[in-house]
Amino acid sequence: MSELTYRDVLRLLKLINASDGINFDFESNGTRIKVERDAFQLPFAEQAAAPSKPGIATGTNSDAQAKPKTSDTTRKTSAKAADFPDATAVNAPMVGVFYAAPEPGRPPFVEVGSKVKQGDQLGIIEVMKLFTSVTAPCDGVVVSILVENQQAVAKDEVLLLLGTS
Amino acid sequence: MSLRRIFVSNRGEIAVRIIRACQEAGLETVVGVSQADQDSMAARMADRAICIGPASSSDSYLNIDAVVTAAVGTQCDGLHPGYGFLAENGGLADLCAEHGVTFIGPKSETIRRLGDKIKARALAKSAGVPVVPGRDEVTNYEEAEAAADSIGFPILLKAAAGGGGRGMQVVRANDGLKSAFDTARAEAKAAFGDDTVYMERFIGSARHVEVQILGDCHGNVIHLGERDCTLQRRHQKIIEEGPATALPADLVDNMRRAAVELARSVGYEGAGTVEFIVDQDEDEFFFLEVNTRIQVEHPVTEMITGIDLVAQQLKIAAGKRIEFKQEQVRLEGHAIECRINAEAASESFRPSPGQIAEWHAPELSDVIRLDTHCYSGYTVPPFYDSMLAKLIVTGIDRNDALKRMSRALAAFRISGIETTLPFLKAIIERPEFQSEQVSTRWVETLLDDPDFVARLERSQQ
């Protein structure tokens, strides 16, 4: 590619600015620009169900094809849940933010493979500064953790799966 | 020195409030918002909104580097921290100074000295301000026992580094001291990374009263009267009012004088609040702490003095003198503020984020004010505190204000999410509140009363 002109830069900036969610990686003459911006959505069921705004594919013209941006995590979640048909799902008791550890920098409550007893703490959900423990509904082994630390979760979203030990 | 462009480092109603004050003062505004607040009222009102990080406040509103980078990058020459978040963080004040941004608040040294409970208590003592009998820096059980002997039961144990109600323990007799001390220490360590405990006499029937002060960099310090914030639940204020009509006039006078003395002794600059606990049985007041920021309940003072506190903060930060003298500050009438939160009071105040279907506020006027960032269709995010609005009314006296508050609450309709409106209505109507026969623990006693809770459940539906 030839050298970038002022106009090219403006066009790129416009493109980045116009999209709610973008994953942009550009290289020219040894200079690499990487822009990642996720469309932000509040973790409420009615909003998750609404059609999301189209993302913009990497390209240099504004007619770049629009593709609906389905939540990657949702797809991952259902796929993983299907891998463990006999597992017990542990759901988020309320909308909020999931914490995997008691405090930043500390090891998580559980990891894949952890053996748990009914009532053991698995995580924390914070909503409006109120912290609620997520506990194991039964004895078992953590076979999969479907959400990340500090991820916003919807009410009843599957957090992790417990298999029989 | 004059300010030109202010970075608003906060969210919700206080960001809106600060932007308004800046606009009235002819200052440009830039608001730093998290990803969850990009469409907020503050973002739309400010001249510019800039995203400072993800929804989680530890990655955005509490991220000092992101905040200061955004302020510098948008060429702001002043930064208003609001309340909560980084408002009382000396590190933010320092970093602002390092980058030539005027921090709208006291000097970082003042924030640090008053932010440490033990240092603040020592400062109060040396300024001649009464403090609750107690003992500083208790680090082991032998010291705790000796302290308990000299203070006398009941005793309150708290984290030396803490704020709010975290890490607090009440112990009523010697046999409960060991376990209370161990718990307070563990909680202090977990919450603040410092297990130093401080112990003091526990006051059975207390009122919480605080004096609003203003100081400038020319050595002037005045008070703007007080606010009675006795109505609390788990150390969270619910209703605030001023002036403190439940207390004897001479006690209030002494308290105001003490607040000014303490502020003067540290060369206080900006708006601040000196909090006191009043022992209603003994008619004595004791120093609690100093809040080195604008407070949630500041409109109570604005309504009875006619003085715009945020405008004063901006002027003081720009190096100007306070424009009026103590004797020119007149307290007129009575003001009451209700905090409306997104919580279901009948279900142990369960948080209730989500979309507001209908937001119908009472008609506003010179005597009815509403500070809010909410509107019909707004989605209250689950990431931050639950306050939706502050409804403030004034009257010629307390009774007049109470009646006006009742009517204003009755006219307020919010649907789509649960709010504390039914709870506030019930509280305002209670004879104990009407006749000021309450203490800081009254609301919790009321919530233990099954009849009250049953009525609350019915009104919530």
Side-chain angles (χ1 to χ4, degrees):
Chain A
M1 197 190 214
S2 62
E3 224 168 277
L4 268 184
T5 68
Y6 172 68
R7 278 180 184 283
D8 291 333
V9 173
L10 274 187
R11 211 159 56 210
L12 286 173
L13 284 175
K14 250 190 186 161
L15 200 66
I16 293 168
N17 231 357
S19 61
D20 280 338
I22 196 164
N23 199 332
F24 174 88
D25 200 338
F26 175 85
E27 200 169 350
S28 169
N29 293 342
T31 307
R32 187 170 177 208
I33 302 171
K34 199 173 169 194
V35 177
E36 269 184 72
R37 193 164 67 185
D38 280 334
F40 182 80
Q41 288 197 331
L42 286 169
F44 293 105
E46 67 271 19
Q47 290 187 338
S52 29
K53 290 182 186 170
I56 272 184
T58 319
T60 47
N61 72 65
S62 50
D63 294 321
Q65 66 179 91
K67 56 169 184 184
K69 188 181 156 81
T70 46
S71 164
D72 290 344
T73 42
T74 315
R75 224 182 296 140
K76 201 169 71 190
T77 301
S78 41
K80 277 209 177 172
D83 289 346
F84 304 97
D86 299 328
T88 307
V90 180
N91 300 9
M94 60 190 75
V95 64
V97 177
F98 174 79
Y99 294 100
E103 58 185 272
R106 292 268 302 275
F109 291 107
V110 289
E111 289 165 296
V112 171
S114 299
K115 274 191 181 156
V116 296
K117 286 219 164 357
Q118 183 182 350
D120 281 358
Q121 188 161 6
L122 307 174
I124 299 169
I125 299 281
E126 181 197 1
V127 53
M128 294 179 150
K129 294 185 174 177
L130 183 82
F131 294 84
T132 305
S133 302
V134 178
T135 52
C138 55
D139 295 359
V141 177
V142 178
V143 291
S144 180
I145 300 176
L146 292 89
V147 289
E148 278 169 40
N149 187 33
Q150 290 205 35
Q151 185 182 318
V153 295
K155 185 176 190 313
D156 297 329
E157 185 169 340
V158 181
L159 304 173
L160 40 81
L161 299 171
L162 293 182
T164 42
S165 38
Chain B
M1 180 188 58
S2 66
L3 297 170
R4 193 176 57 85
R5 186 181 294 165
I6 306 298
F7 189 84
V8 181
S9 174
N10 214 298
R11 65 176 305 282
E13 66 85 20
I14 196 64
V16 169
R17 167 78 186 86
I18 296 163
I19 292 166
R20 273 212 183 105
C22 290
Q23 286 171 344
E24 278 168 28
L27 302 170
E28 292 174 30
T29 50
V30 178
V31 62
V33 294
S34 74
Q35 277 190 325
D37 284 334
Q38 291 187 97
D39 295 321
S40 64
M41 189 183 279
R44 282 185 278 124
M45 280 175 65
D47 294 301
R48 195 173 165 191
I50 183 162
C51 186
I52 52 167
S56 171
S57 41
S58 54
D59 297 325
S60 49
Y61 297 108
L62 289 170
N63 183 341
I64 296 183
D65 287 334
V67 164
V68 177
T69 304
V72 172
T74 51
Q75 284 120 43
C76 289
D77 48 13
L79 180 146
H80 199 307
Y83 54 67
F85 295 127
L86 298 169
E88 289 172 280
N89 186 304
L92 175 65
D94 280 337
L95 201 60
C96 281
E98 202 179 299
H99 291 275
V101 176
T102 302
F103 179 79
I104 298 165
K107 288 185 291 229
S108 64
E109 184 208 343
T110 312
I111 296 175
R112 287 203 176 92
R113 289 171 78 191
L114 295 173
D116 179 313
K117 277 210 174 88
I118 291 168
K119 280 188 196 143
R121 204 175 129 92
L123 283 169
K125 258 188 197 167
S126 59
V129 179
V131 298
V132 181
R135 183 74 59 90
D136 298 343
E137 300 198 22
V138 181
T139 52
N140 63 56
Y141 184 63
E142 285 67 41
E143 283 173 18
E145 269 191 314
D149 265 356
S150 65
I151 297 166
F153 290 98
I155 289 169
L156 181 69
L157 290 92
K158 34 183 172 176
R166 293 164 84 189
M168 284 197 189
Q169 294 279 320
V170 176
V171 48
R172 295 183 185 277
N174 216 3
D175 57 2
L177 187 62
K178 180 79 173 81
S179 73
F181 176 73
D182 289 341
T183 312
R185 228 172 111 173
E187 284 187 13
K189 178 80 183 166
F192 310 106
D194 178 352
D195 67 0
T196 310
V197 167
Y198 122 83
M199 296 170 54
E200 66 184 19
R201 201 176 62 229
F202 177 69
I203 295 165
S205 177
R207 292 193 87 94
H208 175 115
V209 182
E210 54 187 35
V211 179
Q212 176 69 52
I213 48 156
L214 276 182
D216 64 25
C217 64
H218 306 282
N220 302 301
V221 179
I222 59 167
H223 74 78
L224 301 182
E226 68 288 333
R227 298 179 288 257
D228 186 325
C229 313
T230 300
L231 255 61
Q232 308 185 351
R233 177 185 164 266
R234 297 189 176 171
H235 301 278
Q236 296 294 315
K237 294 164 187 166
I238 298 166
I239 298 177
E240 302 99 342
E241 58 184 308
T245 43
L247 303 178
D250 57 335
L251 185 142
V252 171
D253 274 346
N254 290 337
M255 199 185 303
R256 292 170 178 172
R257 244 196 311 274
V260 171
E261 282 309 312
L262 175 55
R264 189 168 283 142
S265 76
V266 295
Y268 197 89
E269 289 174 31
T273 300
V274 184
E275 294 192 336
F276 295 100
I277 187 166
V278 179
D279 187 332
Q280 300 193 89
D281 302 326
E282 308 289 330
D283 273 346
E284 272 185 278
F285 70 88
F286 304 106
F287 169 79
L288 270 186
E289 60 181 29
V290 182
N291 296 319
T292 57
R293 54 160 200 268
I294 191 81
Q295 281 196 241
V296 174
E297 59 274 22
H298 76 275
V300 167
T301 300
E302 296 185 325
M303 293 289 265
I304 54 174
T305 60
I307 294 165
D308 183 325
L309 283 168
V310 181
Q312 292 303 318
Q313 285 188 298
L314 295 169
K315 286 180 184 171
I316 290 166
K320 300 202 174 75
R321 281 173 189 277
I322 299 171
E323 297 150 317
F324 33 82
K325 299 214 154 26
Q326 185 67 66
E327 51 274 22
Q328 290 173 285
V329 178
R330 300 265 297 272
L331 307 179
E332 274 179 38
H334 195 91
I336 304 176
E337 174 183 277
C338 283
R339 298 188 187 195
I340 301 165
N341 294 344
E343 291 166 3
S346 61
E347 298 165 50
S348 310
F349 293 82
R350 171 179 59 80
S352 178
Q355 196 176 38
I356 299 172
E358 181 198 26
W359 179 270
H360 179 86
E363 196 174 325
L364 307 181
S365 66
D366 285 351
V367 290
I368 303 183
R369 166 175 167 177
L370 185 70
D371 282 22
T372 188
H373 58 293
C374 296
Y375 49 88
S376 294
Y378 174 64
T379 299
V380 181
F383 311 108
Y384 314 106
D385 74 71
S386 60
M387 200 171 70
L388 302 172
K390 306 181 306 204
L391 178 64
I392 312 105
V393 304
T394 53
I396 47 169
D397 57 22
R398 188 169 187 268
N399 275 332
D400 191 36
L402 279 170
K403 281 186 203 136
R404 184 161 289 133
M405 182 57 92
S406 273
R407 287 196 300 270
L409 287 170
F412 213 136
R413 280 201 311 276
I414 305 169
S415 66
I417 56 171
E418 301 281 358
T419 75
T420 50
L421 275 174
F423 171 66
L424 292 166
K425 284 182 211 166
I427 292 272
I428 291 281
E429 300 298 335
R430 292 292 296 202
E432 301 95 318
F433 179 62
Q434 299 250 340
S435 61
E436 307 200 71
Q437 304 294 307
V438 296
S439 75
T440 48
R441 272 187 299 281
W442 176 67
V443 172
E444 270 147 34
T445 337
L446 193 60
L447 289 165
D448 285 339
D449 173 359
D451 283 352
F452 179 80
V453 177
R455 246 174 297 155
L456 208 56
E457 273 165 17
R458 282 198 296 277
S459 62
Q460 194 104 38
Q461 283 152 11

